Amino acid sequence: MTNDNIGGLLLGGNVIAGTRLYFNGQAPVNVAGKPTTEVTSHLSGAFNNMGVPGAKSYHLIAAGYGNTAGVASGLANPYFARFSSAPSTTVLADAMAQNPTFFSLFIGGNDVLAYATSGGTGKDQTGNMDPSTYGGSDITDPTVFKTVFTNLATALTSKGAKGVVANLPYITSLPYFITVPYNPATLTATLATQLNAGYAAYNGGLQQMVANKLLTADEVARRTINFKAGSNAVVLVDSYLTNLSAYGIPSYRQATKEDLVVLSARTFIGTTVGGDPTKVNGLSVPLADSWVLTKDEVAEVKKATDAYNVAIQAVAR
Protein backbone atom coordinates (compact mmCIF):
# COMPACT_ATOMS: atom_id res chain seq x y z
CA MET A 1 0.00 0.00 0.00
CA THR A 2 2.89 2.37 0.77
CA ASN A 3 6.13 2.78 -1.15
CA ASP A 4 8.40 2.16 1.81
CA ASN A 5 8.59 1.29 5.48
CA ILE A 6 8.35 4.96 6.49
CA GLY A 7 4.60 5.01 5.92
CA GLY A 8 2.38 8.05 5.64
CA LEU A 9 0.61 9.53 2.63
CA LEU A 10 0.86 12.48 0.26
CA LEU A 11 -1.96 14.09 -1.70
CA GLY A 12 -0.73 16.33 -4.49
CA GLY A 13 2.62 16.42 -2.73
CA ASN A 14 1.16 17.53 0.59
CA VAL A 15 1.41 15.30 3.66
CA ILE A 16 -2.06 14.09 4.72
CA ALA A 17 -0.96 11.21 6.94
CA GLY A 18 2.19 11.14 9.05
CA THR A 19 4.81 8.41 9.08
CA ARG A 20 4.11 5.17 10.87
CA LEU A 21 4.32 5.01 14.65
CA TYR A 22 6.56 2.90 16.83
CA PHE A 23 6.89 2.56 20.61
CA ASN A 24 10.09 4.13 21.92
CA GLY A 25 9.74 2.74 25.43
CA GLN A 26 7.59 5.58 26.72
CA ALA A 27 5.09 6.53 24.04
CA PRO A 28 4.24 6.05 20.37
CA VAL A 29 6.35 8.29 18.15
CA ASN A 30 6.62 8.81 14.41
CA VAL A 31 9.37 7.25 12.34
CA ALA A 32 11.75 9.92 11.06
CA GLY A 33 11.41 10.94 7.45
CA LYS A 34 8.85 12.29 5.01
CA PRO A 35 6.17 10.13 3.37
CA THR A 36 6.79 9.25 -0.27
CA THR A 37 3.52 7.48 -1.06
CA GLU A 38 1.36 9.65 -3.30
CA VAL A 39 -2.37 8.85 -3.19
CA THR A 40 -2.84 10.02 -6.77
CA SER A 41 -0.28 7.43 -7.90
CA HIS A 42 -2.80 4.68 -8.46
CA LEU A 43 -2.07 0.97 -8.01
CA SER A 44 -3.56 -1.54 -10.42
CA GLY A 45 -4.15 -5.26 -10.40
CA ALA A 46 -6.02 -7.73 -8.20
CA PHE A 47 -5.66 -7.50 -4.43
CA ASN A 48 -6.31 -10.31 -2.01
CA ASN A 49 -6.24 -7.96 0.97
CA MET A 50 -9.16 -5.56 0.68
CA GLY A 51 -8.75 -4.18 4.19
CA VAL A 52 -9.12 -0.38 4.21
CA PRO A 53 -7.80 1.45 7.30
CA GLY A 54 -10.46 3.62 8.89
CA ALA A 55 -13.39 2.08 7.02
CA LYS A 56 -16.67 1.73 8.87
CA SER A 57 -19.18 -0.95 7.95
CA TYR A 58 -21.27 1.22 5.63
CA HIS A 59 -18.17 2.54 3.86
CA LEU A 60 -17.67 -0.89 2.27
CA ILE A 61 -20.80 -0.42 0.17
CA ALA A 62 -20.45 3.33 -0.43
CA ALA A 63 -19.91 4.26 -4.08
CA GLY A 64 -17.05 6.72 -4.50
CA TYR A 65 -15.30 5.75 -1.27
CA GLY A 66 -12.18 5.24 -3.39
CA ASN A 67 -12.52 8.35 -5.52
CA THR A 68 -9.29 10.36 -5.33
CA ALA A 69 -11.22 13.55 -5.99
CA GLY A 70 -13.08 13.10 -2.71
CA VAL A 71 -10.06 12.51 -0.47
CA ALA A 72 -9.32 16.15 0.36
CA SER A 73 -12.89 16.80 1.47
CA GLY A 74 -13.11 13.61 3.51
CA LEU A 75 -15.66 12.01 1.18
CA ALA A 76 -13.25 9.26 0.16
CA ASN A 77 -10.62 7.12 1.85
CA PRO A 78 -7.02 7.76 0.70
CA TYR A 79 -6.03 4.11 1.15
CA PHE A 80 -8.89 2.78 -0.96
CA ALA A 81 -8.28 5.56 -3.48
CA ARG A 82 -4.83 4.06 -4.01
CA PHE A 83 -6.17 0.74 -5.30
CA SER A 84 -9.87 1.06 -6.18
CA SER A 85 -10.71 -0.20 -9.67
CA ALA A 86 -12.74 2.90 -10.57
CA PRO A 87 -13.78 6.18 -8.91
CA SER A 88 -17.40 5.06 -8.48
CA THR A 89 -16.77 1.51 -7.29
CA THR A 90 -17.22 0.10 -3.79
CA VAL A 91 -14.93 -2.03 -1.66
CA LEU A 92 -17.46 -4.87 -1.85
CA ALA A 93 -17.73 -4.64 -5.64
CA ASP A 94 -13.97 -4.82 -6.06
CA ALA A 95 -13.82 -7.82 -3.75
CA MET A 96 -16.58 -9.62 -5.64
CA ALA A 97 -14.90 -8.88 -8.98
CA GLN A 98 -12.14 -11.28 -7.95
CA ASN A 99 -14.60 -14.20 -7.66
CA PRO A 100 -13.21 -15.31 -4.31
CA THR A 101 -13.59 -18.90 -3.13
CA PHE A 102 -12.91 -17.91 0.47
CA PHE A 103 -13.17 -14.65 2.41
CA SER A 104 -12.68 -13.23 5.89
CA LEU A 105 -14.95 -10.45 7.09
CA PHE A 106 -13.93 -8.46 10.15
CA ILE A 107 -15.67 -5.09 10.27
CA GLY A 108 -17.34 -2.92 12.90
CA GLY A 109 -14.53 -1.78 15.18
CA ASN A 110 -14.25 1.54 13.38
CA ASP A 111 -17.99 2.09 13.82
CA VAL A 112 -17.24 2.98 17.45
CA LEU A 113 -13.47 3.63 17.44
CA ALA A 114 -13.45 7.27 16.34
CA TYR A 115 -16.13 8.09 18.91
CA ALA A 116 -13.97 6.56 21.63
CA THR A 117 -10.61 8.01 20.57
CA SER A 118 -12.17 11.47 20.31
CA GLY A 119 -13.22 11.21 23.94
CA GLY A 120 -16.87 10.85 22.97
CA THR A 121 -17.13 14.16 21.13
CA GLY A 122 -19.22 12.51 18.41
CA LYS A 123 -22.85 11.44 18.61
CA ASP A 124 -24.48 8.09 19.21
CA GLN A 125 -26.55 7.78 16.04
CA THR A 126 -28.80 5.00 17.33
CA GLY A 127 -32.16 5.61 15.70
CA ASN A 128 -30.70 7.41 12.67
CA MET A 129 -30.86 5.14 9.63
CA ASP A 130 -29.07 7.53 7.26
CA PRO A 131 -25.27 7.13 7.46
CA SER A 132 -24.79 9.99 5.00
CA THR A 133 -25.70 12.33 7.86
CA TYR A 134 -23.19 10.86 10.32
CA GLY A 135 -20.12 12.71 11.49
CA GLY A 136 -16.70 11.10 11.38
CA SER A 137 -16.69 10.48 15.15
CA ASP A 138 -20.24 9.16 15.47
CA ILE A 139 -21.40 5.71 16.58
CA THR A 140 -23.14 3.75 13.82
CA ASP A 141 -26.77 2.80 14.45
CA PRO A 142 -26.93 -0.96 15.25
CA THR A 143 -29.72 -1.54 12.73
CA VAL A 144 -27.67 0.13 10.02
CA PHE A 145 -24.75 -2.09 10.96
CA LYS A 146 -26.90 -5.24 10.89
CA THR A 147 -28.33 -4.36 7.46
CA VAL A 148 -24.90 -3.63 6.01
CA PHE A 149 -23.28 -6.70 7.53
CA THR A 150 -26.09 -8.90 6.24
CA ASN A 151 -25.68 -7.46 2.76
CA LEU A 152 -21.92 -7.98 2.86
CA ALA A 153 -22.18 -11.62 3.92
CA THR A 154 -24.97 -12.30 1.43
CA ALA A 155 -22.94 -10.88 -1.44
CA LEU A 156 -19.70 -12.61 -0.47
CA THR A 157 -21.40 -16.03 -0.31
CA SER A 158 -23.62 -15.49 -3.36
CA LYS A 159 -21.30 -17.39 -5.70
CA GLY A 160 -20.68 -20.25 -3.31
CA ALA A 161 -17.65 -18.88 -1.47
CA LYS A 162 -17.02 -20.01 2.07
CA GLY A 163 -15.78 -17.59 4.67
CA VAL A 164 -15.13 -16.66 8.27
CA VAL A 165 -16.51 -13.74 10.23
CA ALA A 166 -15.38 -12.48 13.61
CA ASN A 167 -17.06 -10.68 16.45
CA LEU A 168 -15.71 -7.49 17.98
CA PRO A 169 -13.73 -6.96 21.18
CA TYR A 170 -14.30 -3.96 23.42
CA ILE A 171 -11.97 -1.34 21.98
CA THR A 172 -11.81 0.40 25.35
CA SER A 173 -9.34 -2.30 26.44
CA LEU A 174 -6.77 -0.91 23.99
CA PRO A 175 -3.66 0.76 25.48
CA TYR A 176 -4.92 4.06 24.08
CA PHE A 177 -7.52 4.10 26.84
CA ILE A 178 -5.79 2.39 29.76
CA THR A 179 -2.27 3.86 29.76
CA VAL A 180 -2.94 7.25 31.35
CA PRO A 181 -4.37 6.90 34.88
CA TYR A 182 -7.40 8.85 36.02
CA ASN A 183 -5.40 10.21 38.97
CA PRO A 184 -1.99 11.25 37.60
CA ALA A 185 -1.63 14.48 39.58
CA THR A 186 0.71 14.23 42.59
CA LEU A 187 0.24 17.27 44.83
CA THR A 188 1.70 18.66 48.00
CA ALA A 189 -0.64 19.66 50.82
CA THR A 190 -0.02 23.32 49.98
CA LEU A 191 -0.97 22.92 46.32
CA ALA A 192 -4.02 20.88 47.26
CA THR A 193 -5.19 23.63 49.60
CA GLN A 194 -4.69 26.27 46.92
CA LEU A 195 -6.69 24.27 44.37
CA ASN A 196 -9.50 23.63 46.84
CA ALA A 197 -9.74 27.34 47.47
CA GLY A 198 -10.15 27.87 43.75
CA TYR A 199 -13.13 25.49 43.63
CA ALA A 200 -14.73 26.69 46.88
CA ALA A 201 -17.29 28.84 45.08
CA TYR A 202 -18.17 25.97 42.73
CA ASN A 203 -18.63 23.53 45.60
CA GLY A 204 -20.68 26.10 47.50
CA GLY A 205 -22.93 26.57 44.47
CA LEU A 206 -23.61 22.85 44.38
CA GLN A 207 -24.76 22.92 48.00
CA GLN A 208 -27.11 25.77 47.14
CA MET A 209 -28.60 23.65 44.34
CA VAL A 210 -29.39 20.93 46.87
CA ALA A 211 -31.05 23.45 49.12
CA ASN A 212 -33.16 24.55 46.14
CA LYS A 213 -33.90 20.88 45.31
CA LEU A 214 -32.29 21.17 41.89
CA LEU A 215 -29.68 18.51 42.63
CA THR A 216 -29.66 15.29 44.62
CA ALA A 217 -27.13 14.72 47.36
CA ASP A 218 -25.66 11.87 45.32
CA GLU A 219 -24.94 14.10 42.34
CA VAL A 220 -23.47 16.78 44.58
CA ALA A 221 -21.11 14.17 46.00
CA ARG A 222 -20.16 13.14 42.46
CA ARG A 223 -19.53 16.73 41.38
CA THR A 224 -17.77 18.07 44.48
CA ILE A 225 -14.09 18.72 43.81
CA ASN A 226 -11.62 17.99 46.56
CA PHE A 227 -7.83 17.73 46.33
CA LYS A 228 -5.48 16.25 48.90
CA ALA A 229 -1.77 15.61 49.33
CA GLY A 230 -0.66 12.70 47.13
CA SER A 231 -2.30 11.31 43.96
CA ASN A 232 -5.35 13.17 42.69
CA ALA A 233 -7.92 12.62 39.96
CA VAL A 234 -8.09 15.14 37.15
CA VAL A 235 -11.03 17.53 36.83
CA LEU A 236 -13.14 17.23 33.69
CA VAL A 237 -16.19 18.64 31.97
CA ASP A 238 -19.03 16.07 31.88
CA SER A 239 -22.03 16.83 29.70
CA TYR A 240 -23.97 13.98 31.29
CA LEU A 241 -24.27 15.92 34.53
CA THR A 242 -27.38 17.98 35.22
CA ASN A 243 -27.10 21.17 33.19
CA LEU A 244 -26.91 24.08 35.64
CA SER A 245 -25.51 26.65 33.24
CA ALA A 246 -28.60 28.81 33.77
CA TYR A 247 -27.42 29.24 37.36
CA GLY A 248 -23.82 29.93 36.39
CA ILE A 249 -22.62 26.51 37.56
CA PRO A 250 -20.51 24.49 35.09
CA SER A 251 -20.61 20.68 34.71
CA TYR A 252 -17.37 19.81 36.47
CA ARG A 253 -16.34 16.72 38.39
CA GLN A 254 -13.23 14.72 39.14
CA ALA A 255 -12.50 11.55 37.21
CA THR A 256 -13.04 8.08 38.66
CA LYS A 257 -11.66 4.63 37.83
CA GLU A 258 -14.57 4.16 35.44
CA ASP A 259 -13.45 7.07 33.25
CA LEU A 260 -10.79 6.49 30.58
CA VAL A 261 -8.25 9.24 29.95
CA VAL A 262 -7.12 9.02 26.32
CA LEU A 263 -3.44 8.54 25.50
CA SER A 264 -3.06 11.94 23.85
CA ALA A 265 -3.79 13.58 27.22
CA ARG A 266 -0.50 12.22 28.54
CA THR A 267 1.45 15.29 27.41
CA PHE A 268 -1.40 17.74 27.97
CA ILE A 269 -2.34 17.20 31.60
CA GLY A 270 -0.29 19.48 33.82
CA THR A 271 0.54 22.02 31.11
CA THR A 272 -0.39 25.64 31.64
CA VAL A 273 -2.68 27.90 29.67
CA GLY A 274 -0.69 30.74 28.16
CA GLY A 275 2.15 30.09 30.57
CA ASP A 276 0.01 31.11 33.55
CA PRO A 277 1.08 28.88 36.49
CA THR A 278 -2.35 29.29 38.10
CA LYS A 279 -4.10 27.79 35.06
CA VAL A 280 -3.08 24.14 34.93
CA ASN A 281 -4.87 21.78 32.55
CA GLY A 282 -6.59 18.97 34.37
CA LEU A 283 -6.39 20.72 37.73
CA SER A 284 -7.40 24.38 37.94
CA VAL A 285 -8.57 24.17 34.31
CA PRO A 286 -10.92 21.20 33.74
CA LEU A 287 -10.23 18.87 30.82
CA ALA A 288 -12.57 19.23 27.86
CA ASP A 289 -14.66 16.27 26.75
CA SER A 290 -12.14 15.25 24.09
CA TRP A 291 -9.54 14.24 26.67
CA VAL A 292 -11.63 11.72 28.60
CA LEU A 293 -14.02 8.93 27.62
CA THR A 294 -16.38 9.12 30.56
CA LYS A 295 -18.20 6.25 32.23
CA ASP A 296 -21.39 7.06 30.32
CA GLU A 297 -19.54 7.25 27.00
CA VAL A 298 -17.83 3.92 27.70
CA ALA A 299 -21.30 2.46 28.22
CA GLU A 300 -22.42 3.79 24.83
CA VAL A 301 -19.45 2.13 23.13
CA LYS A 302 -20.15 -1.15 24.93
CA LYS A 303 -23.86 -1.07 24.09
CA ALA A 304 -23.18 -0.54 20.39
CA THR A 305 -20.47 -3.21 20.30
CA ASP A 306 -22.77 -5.73 21.96
CA ALA A 307 -25.48 -4.97 19.40
CA TYR A 308 -23.03 -5.38 16.52
CA ASN A 309 -21.90 -8.75 17.90
CA VAL A 310 -25.49 -9.96 18.13
CA ALA A 311 -25.94 -9.08 14.45
CA ILE A 312 -22.67 -10.78 13.46
CA GLN A 313 -23.64 -13.95 15.31
CA ALA A 314 -27.09 -14.00 13.74
CA VAL A 315 -25.66 -13.60 10.23
CA ALA A 316 -23.03 -16.28 10.85
CA ARG A 317 -25.68 -18.75 11.99
Side-chain angles (χ1 to χ4, degrees):
M1 180 62 66
T2 57
N3 293 336
D4 48 51
N5 200 34
I6 293 176
L9 295 173
L10 301 172
L11 182 64
N14 298 313
V15 177
I16 60 170
T19 60
R20 67 177 178 84
L21 299 172
Y22 73 97
F23 185 67
N24 70 352
Q26 294 184 320
V29 295
N30 289 93
V31 170
K34 181 181 178 180
T36 64
T37 303
E38 174 60 54
V39 172
T40 58
S41 178
H42 195 267
L43 301 177
S44 60
F47 300 94
N48 291 323
N49 184 351
M50 299 294 295
V52 179
K56 300 185 180 186
S57 58
Y58 53 85
H59 287 146
L60 302 188
I61 59 173
Y65 191 58
N67 186 348
T68 304
V71 171
S73 62
L75 297 176
N77 184 295
Y79 295 99
F80 187 42
R82 277 272 284 165
F83 70 96
S84 61
S85 64
S88 61
T89 192
T90 68
V91 177
L92 177 61
D94 275 10
M96 291 302 298
Q98 298 183 51
N99 295 311
T101 57
F102 186 85
F103 66 88
S104 61
L105 178 60
F106 183 51
I107 193 70
N110 286 328
D111 289 73
V112 292
L113 181 63
Y115 177 86
T117 56
S118 71
T121 58
K123 181 179 179 181
D124 183 353
Q125 291 288 358
T126 298
N128 182 358
M129 299 295 292
D130 184 5
S132 68
T133 65
Y134 293 2
S137 297
D138 291 352
I139 294 177
T140 303
D141 170 83
T143 302
V144 168
F145 176 85
K146 181 178 181 180
T147 300
V148 171
F149 196 87
T150 300
N151 291 340
L152 292 170
T154 299
L156 288 166
T157 57
S158 63
K159 297 181 181 180
K162 302 295 183 181
V164 59
V165 299
N167 62 358
L168 305 169
Y170 293 132
I171 59 169
T172 49
S173 64
L174 292 171
Y176 192 85
F177 302 102
I178 60 175
T179 299
V180 181
Y182 75 97
N183 58 345
T186 301
L187 302 174
T188 64
T190 299
L191 286 174
T193 298
Q194 291 174 350
L195 285 166
N196 287 334
Y199 284 103
Y202 171 74
N203 290 337
L206 296 178
Q207 294 299 328
Q208 186 61 47
M209 292 298 100
V210 173
N212 294 338
K213 298 183 179 180
L214 294 172
L215 278 185
T216 65
D218 286 343
E219 184 169 348
V220 168
R222 186 183 182 196
R223 297 174 70 140
T224 298
I225 295 173
N226 180 47
F227 292 98
K228 63 184 186 307
S231 298
N232 286 264
V234 294
V235 181
L236 57 96
V237 178
D238 187 352
S239 61
Y240 286 82
L241 297 171
T242 301
N243 187 347
L244 300 173
S245 58
Y247 303 93
I249 299 177
S251 296
Y252 296 164
R253 68 174 176 86
Q254 282 179 285
T256 70
K257 292 180 180 179
E258 296 173 298
D259 300 310
L260 303 178
V261 181
V262 299
L263 184 61
S264 52
R266 175 179 174 272
T267 56
F268 180 75
I269 295 172
T271 60
T272 59
V273 178
D276 187 341
T278 67
K279 298 179 179 180
V280 182
N281 290 307
L283 296 175
S284 56
V285 179
L287 297 177
D289 184 35
S290 59
W291 298 108
V292 183
L293 192 68
T294 67
K295 170 187 175 181
D296 296 290
E297 292 165 343
V298 170
E300 289 183 341
V301 171
K302 181 179 184 298
K303 182 180 178 181
T305 303
D306 288 343
Y308 300 165
N309 281 332
V310 168
I312 293 169
Q313 184 179 45
V315 170
R317 285 177 173 171

